[in-house]
Amino acid sequence: MTAVLVTKDAKYYAYYNVFLTWSLIMHRGYEFYMKGWHFYMVDFCYLVNFIVACHVVVFPKSEIMFFAGFALSLGPIFNSVSYYRNTLAFHSTEKTTSLFIHSSPPLTMFLIHWHDRSNHFASSNMGIQEYGPIFLAKWYGSVIALYGAWVVCYYIVLFKLLRGHIVKNNYDTLYDHAMADSRTSRELRSRGEKWTKFMFIWVHFRYVLQFITMTQIFYYFYWVGLIWVIYNHALGIYFGATYYINYHSERYEKNLFSLGRMKEKAKEKTN
C-alpha cells in the first residue's frame, strides 16, 4: 500500500501516514507504560510527528506548520534513523514503530513539498520561495516558535515538576539514557553535574539547529532530497537485514553449543 500511495498525489500518503503513525504511537504509549518508559512519549520525535499530523489534518495551508514540519522531519528526525539504528524488524512492534516514526514523517513532508498535484498544502500554493532574509525568518522562526515551546514545557515538567517522581519510581527518560550513554554523557558532564540538565537542552538545540540548516538543501534541490529519503529508508532495511542475520547466527551458535554439550554428556555416561 505504501508503494502505491507514494506514487499518487501527496495528500493520500499524508493521511495514510497520520493514521498509521498515530495508531503505532498509541500502541507504543500502552507498551511503554507497562515497561515504565512512558516519559519517552514526550520526546522530540513525537513533537515532530504531532506537527506533521497537525499540518496534514488541521492546518494544511499554514506556512509555519509546513516549514517546521519540513525542517524538523527531514533534518534531525531523519538523521536519527542512523544514530539510533532504527530497524525494520517485522516481529517487533517496538523496532518497527521506532523506524516508522522517524522515517515516515520526512517522506510525508518531502511528498507534500514536491508532489502536491492538487495544491492541497501551503507549499504548492506559495511555491519555492527565494532564498533571503524573509525566507530565513520564516524557516528559523517557525522551528524556534514550536520547538521553543516544547523545550520550555519539557524542562519544566520533566526536570522540575516530575523529576522527584521519576527518580523515586526509577522511570527512564531520554535524559537518563543520554547520561548513561558514553557518546553523550561526557559532554553533558563537561560543566559539572549541576549543569547536566542545561547541557542536555543545549546539546539537543545545537543538534536541531545544525540539521534544520542542512535541510534547506532539500527544500531547494529535489534530487538531493530524494537521495536523502532513499538513503535513510534503505538504511532502516539494511539494519533490519543485519539484525536478523546476527540474530539467527547467534541462535545457530547456541544450538551448536548445546548439541556439543549433549554429546559430551552422552560420552561421559557411556564411559
Side-chain angles (χ1 to χ4, degrees), residues 34-64:
M34 299 302 292
K35 296 179 179 179
W37 298 350
H38 44 286
F39 286 105
Y40 279 110
M41 300 301 296
V42 296
D43 284 344
F44 174 65
C45 59
Y46 301 101
L47 166 72
V48 178
N49 275 270
F50 178 74
I51 290 172
V52 172
C54 281
H55 178 51
V56 171
V57 178
V58 185
F59 304 110
K61 303 298 184 183
S62 170
E63 286 190 9
I64 293 176

Side-chain angles (χ1 to χ4, degrees), residues 14-40:
Y15 283 107
Y16 168 75
N17 166 75
V18 172
F19 170 76
L20 191 54
T21 298
W22 284 95
S23 297
L24 291 170
I25 289 174
M26 286 189 289
H27 177 270
R28 165 162 284 190
Y30 170 76
E31 194 175 38
F32 275 22
Y33 178 78
M34 299 302 292
K35 296 179 179 179
W37 298 350
H38 44 286
F39 286 105
Y40 279 110

Side-chain angles (χ1 to χ4, degrees), residues 166-219:
I166 291 169
V167 173
K168 179 182 177 181
N169 292 279
N170 200 29
Y171 291 137
D172 203 10
T173 67
L174 185 60
Y175 166 75
D176 299 306
H177 177 78
M179 289 294 288
D181 190 339
S182 59
R183 294 178 297 177
T184 54
S185 60
R186 180 177 297 180
E187 184 170 9
L188 297 186
R189 291 188 169 97
S190 61
R191 302 294 180 183
E193 292 291 334
K194 179 182 177 181
W195 296 97
T196 54
K197 296 178 180 66
F198 288 102
M199 288 298 295
F200 173 77
I201 298 297
W202 161 245
V203 170
H204 195 275
F205 173 72
R206 187 183 65 194
Y207 166 77
V208 168
L209 190 62
Q210 289 171 344
F211 274 93
I212 65 170
T213 300
M214 180 196 75
T215 309
Q216 294 173 42
I217 299 172
F218 310 138
Y219 177 82

